[in-house]
Amino acid sequence: MGSAAKPANRSGRLATSSAKLSLATRAVAQGEDWIVTGQKTWCSGATWADFGILITRTDPKAPKHKGITYFIVDMRTPGIEVRPLRQMTGDAHFNEVFLNDVRISDANRLGEVNGGWGVTMTTLTNERMAMAGADGLFSWEDLLAHAQANRGRVDGATRDELAKLYTWVRTLEMLNARIVTKLGRGEMPAAESSVMKLAMARIVTRGTELGLRLLGPEGLVRPGTWQHQWLFQPAFHLAGGTDEVQKNLSLIHISEPTRPLYISY
């Protein structure tokens, strides 16, 4: 989660974050425990999370991609303070998390001491693929039904946009199938996960913009499903690594497939 805990909510799903290597959180060994101090903003679901992923710096003298250790932390541990951040949707999905001399057992460490970057990269890959799963984030079927219910506002340009969006959604499904095939062969996805995340963010943005436009003047009235989705959609360009980071990762994976990825999040 970058410089603090990355929560998992009570149903076990991992939340998102956009900062990884610029770690300000420090963990100092003390017997069989670690004492952690630090802070992180934009922690999803931290107010209801039972556990979180904690990526912290354990060797401040090491290069940025080294000296990092990965822990699983109980979010009810003394010293953890969660402050909700109100969004323009009215919700408080994101939070600030403060860790003040939090004691974590070494048994909660995942991987080697100072070897957390490899575990982090695996987590990030899975996070991007989870975010890029269109089913839970955007429904083409809902948008189509919305357009059919507002036929009077569907002109030629709108039909063209609907067709383009449909093509993007189906292409994303094909890319997802390619990743599943790779995983079935025991291979790790490379550029695919970043491309999927970029595509999903674009689909959600264009889809919610179109859904809002189909409402006409009613789109200015809240609350409403399309209004809420449109207000929330900028988060998809930040969570799980910003669009700019994903473009850099995709380029490196394609042009320099053997290069270690030490890009800062």
Side-chain angles (χ1 to χ4, degrees):
M1 186 88 182
S3 50
K6 173 179 187 172
N9 67 26
R10 286 187 169 81
S11 63
R13 292 174 294 155
L14 290 179
T16 60
S17 178
S18 58
K20 294 293 181 292
L21 279 185
S22 54
L23 295 178
T25 296
R26 298 288 186 267
V28 178
Q30 191 175 93
E32 295 297 316
D33 298 331
W34 295 82
I35 306 301
V36 182
T37 301
Q39 180 265 341
K40 179 67 176 74
T41 307
W42 308 119
C43 298
S44 304
T47 50
W48 59 78
D50 287 329
F51 295 91
I53 291 171
L54 175 65
I55 304 165
T56 183
R57 191 163 295 285
T58 46
D59 184 355
K61 296 181 180 179
K64 285 201 299 184
H65 57 279
K66 297 181 180 178
I68 295 171
T69 303
Y70 191 114
F71 297 93
I72 303 297
V73 60
D74 187 332
M75 294 297 289
R76 296 158 294 191
T77 304
I80 295 180
E81 178 186 358
V82 179
R83 300 179 187 175
L85 296 169
R86 190 69 56 186
Q87 300 150 238
M88 60 183 174
T89 58
D91 301 327
H93 180 74
F94 301 107
N95 306 268
E96 289 182 288
V97 175
F98 295 84
L99 299 100
N100 301 301
D101 294 327
V102 176
R103 183 177 291 273
I104 301 174
S105 170
D106 188 61
N108 287 36
R109 172 170 50 82
L110 186 60
E112 300 296 324
V113 174
N114 297 327
W117 181 236
V119 186
T120 301
M121 290 299 292
T122 300
T123 302
L124 286 168
T125 298
N126 282 278
E127 180 181 39
R128 292 182 200 119
M129 288 189 293
M131 289 186 66
D135 291 345
L137 303 176
F138 174 80
S139 170
W140 158 256
E141 288 73 18
D142 286 351
L143 180 61
L144 181 60
H146 181 46
Q148 291 171 337
N150 294 274
R151 289 179 182 274
R153 297 191 178 104
V154 178
D155 55 15
T158 302
R159 284 193 294 271
D160 284 346
E161 287 207 42
L162 284 167
K164 181 185 296 184
L165 202 58
Y166 174 82
T167 303
W168 289 357
V169 169
R170 296 301 174 237
T171 302
L172 188 63
E173 291 177 355
M174 296 294 182
L175 185 56
N176 187 54
R178 175 176 174 172
I179 288 177
V180 171
T181 301
K182 265 194 167 184
L183 292 172
R185 294 172 179 165
E187 302 174 17
M188 281 298 293
E192 293 96 338
S193 62
S194 292
V195 172
M196 281 187 69
K197 199 268 180 182
L198 283 165
M200 189 67 243
R202 184 173 296 185
I203 286 170
V204 172
T205 294
R206 296 288 286 274
T208 56
E209 286 176 352
L210 190 54
L212 195 65
R213 194 160 73 239
L214 286 166
L215 287 173
E218 296 174 16
L220 297 174
V221 181
R222 293 179 63 195
T225 299
W226 292 104
Q227 294 91 324
H228 186 277
Q229 290 186 12
W230 181 78
L231 288 171
F232 188 75
Q233 57 82 21
F236 292 103
H237 298 275
L238 302 173
T242 65
D243 284 2
E244 291 76 15
V245 166
Q246 302 308 325
K247 291 174 183 177
N248 285 340
L249 286 171
S250 299
L251 176 62
I252 292 172
H253 274 304
I254 293 168
S255 62
E256 302 177 66
T258 60
R259 173 180 167 183
L261 295 179
Y262 301 144
I263 291 179
S264 176
Y265 286 75

